[in-house]
Amino acid sequence: MLVSPSLLAADFANLHKEIEMINRSEADMLHLDVMDGVFVPNISFGFPVIKAVSKICRKPLDVHLMIVEPEKWVTRLRDLGVETMNVHQEACVHLDRTIHAIREAGMKAAVTLNPSTPVAMLEDVIAELDMVLLMSVNPGFGGQKFIDNALAKVGRLRRMIAESGSRALIEVDGGVNAKTGAMLAGAGADILVAGSYVFASHDPEEAIHSLKIL
Ligand code: DX5
Ligand code: ZN
């Protein structure tokens, strides 16, 4: 299993220490949650934090944009060295254009779906995607309860990917811990995002390891 710890649950007063832990750990990437207070009812952090993190983090950055008009920021994120740019399907009027802009900028293109958005919404773009991020909570906050319908969605998306010949990886975000992570592994997920399970743990590196071995 690939693991992408979500920085949202980290101690922001000790960010350097938290990133050093991520660098030492078995994490495959670092998940950064950007919120604008419009697309989701919360505000998190933006470019200054991403820039600071990118200077010290040795893992690829997996940026999850919970913002309206995410297409405006393709160049900014590319210039900060971001590897994967996740945009919400619900936030993009011209999703195909945005996916191409992300790829042309040299980043991996990922599309995120809210729990209420069916995977069928991606049928016509799946071949262009490097990753699909399925939300297993309503986006905006860490520490929420896992929504079970994500398991069936992983299965449906797995079939769509196989039928289309797409290379897209399936990432799942929200309420992930060792128990829900094991269920997601069984359903066919490739990447697990985990915020509170990792950063609120007394041993974050061990928490990452427990997901890694799924
Ligand atoms: C929620 C964010 C998640 C969040 C997950 O909107 O997209 O990445 O950090 O937090 P946990 O793992 O605590 O559910
Ligand atoms: Zn996220």
Side-chain angles (χ1 to χ4, degrees):
M1 182 62 68
L2 298 172
V3 181
S4 190
S6 166
L7 196 70
L8 192 63
D11 176 0
F12 281 77
N14 286 295
L15 217 42
H16 198 261
K17 193 176 110 277
E18 300 281 47
I19 303 293
E20 281 173 351
M21 181 281 289
I22 292 293
N23 285 342
R24 276 195 313 271
S25 78
E26 293 176 78
D28 296 281
M29 50 195 109
L30 179 63
H31 187 86
L32 299 177
D33 290 296
V34 178
M35 304 179 188
D36 66 355
V38 179
F39 182 71
V40 288
N42 199 5
I43 296 177
S44 56
F45 53 79
F47 296 120
V49 172
I50 298 174
K51 187 175 179 186
V53 169
S54 73
K55 282 186 186 155
I56 51 176
C57 186
R58 293 199 301 272
K59 310 280 179 167
L61 301 182
D62 169 33
V63 174
H64 175 193
L65 298 171
M66 285 162 272
I67 64 174
V68 297
E69 302 181 339
E71 66 278 358
K72 284 184 177 170
W73 312 110
V74 170
T75 311
R76 280 289 280 283
L77 291 169
R78 190 270 316 275
D79 291 348
L80 290 176
V82 166
E83 181 179 82
T84 305
M85 177 166 166
N86 294 273
V87 297
H88 268 263
Q89 184 273 337
E90 304 86 0
C92 295
V93 178
H94 299 289
L95 185 61
D96 181 80
R97 178 184 285 150
T98 302
I99 291 166
H100 281 96
I102 295 169
R103 293 181 56 80
E104 273 158 31
M107 291 182 287
K108 292 185 179 172
V111 175
T112 310
L113 299 181
N114 279 336
S116 63
T117 305
V119 295
M121 294 302 287
L122 298 180
E123 231 165 59
D124 291 289
V125 292
I126 192 72
E128 311 300 322
L129 295 180
D130 297 291
M131 186 197 288
V132 176
L133 173 53
L134 295 179
M135 292 309 300
S136 42
V137 297
N138 284 295
F141 304 91
Q144 301 183 83
K145 190 180 173 299
F146 183 80
I147 299 174
D148 284 326
N149 91 334
L151 294 167
K153 281 176 88 169
V154 170
R156 285 194 290 275
L157 182 57
R158 194 80 272 161
R159 284 191 289 282
M160 186 197 290
I161 289 171
E163 281 162 19
S164 67
S166 166
R167 66 190 167 285
L169 297 177
I170 302 176
E171 181 175 50
V172 186
D173 182 7
V176 172
N177 53 38
K179 185 165 166 258
T180 55
M183 295 192 282
L184 289 164
D190 300 299
I191 308 167
L192 297 176
V193 175
S196 36
Y197 177 66
V198 168
F199 287 98
S201 163
H202 63 93
D203 189 346
E205 285 179 69
E206 180 52 36
I208 291 168
H209 178 71
S210 73
L211 299 176
K212 199 59 206 155
I213 58 177
L214 293 175

